[in-house]
Amino acid sequence: MARAATTTDAFNAVAAPRRRQILAVLACGEQPVNALVTALGLAQPHVSKHLRVLRAVGLVEVREEGRRRIYRLNGRSLRPIHDWVTRYAKSWNERFAALDEVLEDLKGKEQGDGDHDQ
C-alpha cells in the first residue's frame, strides 16, 4: 500500500526527527521562527520547510505579530498519534514490569553469589 504524502498525514510528518524536535520546542510555548532556528541549530530555510509541513497537517498554527511569525503547537491534531500510541501502553508497561522482575532476580542472584565469595 502506498504511503500518504507527508503533507496530508500527521504520522508521516512526525517521522522526521527535526519535525519532532520542533514540536518538542513548541510544547514549551509559542516561539518565533528565529527562536526555533537558534534552538535547533538549523538554517532558517530548513526550519521554515519543516514548519510548512507541520502546518499543512495541522500540527502547528501560526499567527503574525508585526513582521514576525509566531508558531504554536496544535495539540488537538496530535490526538490521533496519542490514541494510536496509547493502544500499546498496556503491553509496554507489562513488558517493562516483567523486565524489572528479571533484573531484580539477577540482582538478587548477583548479591547472593557475592556473599559466598567472602
Side-chain angles (χ1 to χ4, degrees), residues 35-114:
L36 292 168
V37 166
T38 301
L40 299 171
L42 292 175
Q44 188 274 332
H46 291 112
V47 172
S48 292
K49 178 185 83 166
H50 290 303
L51 286 168
R52 269 192 300 279
V53 172
L54 293 171
R55 280 184 65 198
V57 298
L59 293 176
V60 299
E61 297 172 342
V62 64
R63 68 180 172 83
E64 293 187 19
E65 190 176 89
R67 292 178 37 200
R68 295 185 340 154
R69 300 183 123 217
I70 311 294
Y71 287 86
R72 68 180 165 270
L73 189 63
N74 179 1
R76 290 181 307 277
S77 292
L78 287 169
R79 187 67 190 202
I81 295 170
H82 172 270
D83 292 346
W84 182 80
V85 169
T86 300
R87 291 184 207 164
Y88 301 96
K90 181 180 179 194
S91 174
W92 293 337
N93 289 334
E94 289 170 356
R95 289 176 185 213
F96 286 135
L99 180 59
D100 285 342
E101 288 178 26
V102 169
L103 292 174
E104 285 300 316
D105 286 346
L106 290 173
K107 187 176 174 182
K109 288 177 184 176
E110 186 176 277
Q111 289 174 349
D113 289 345

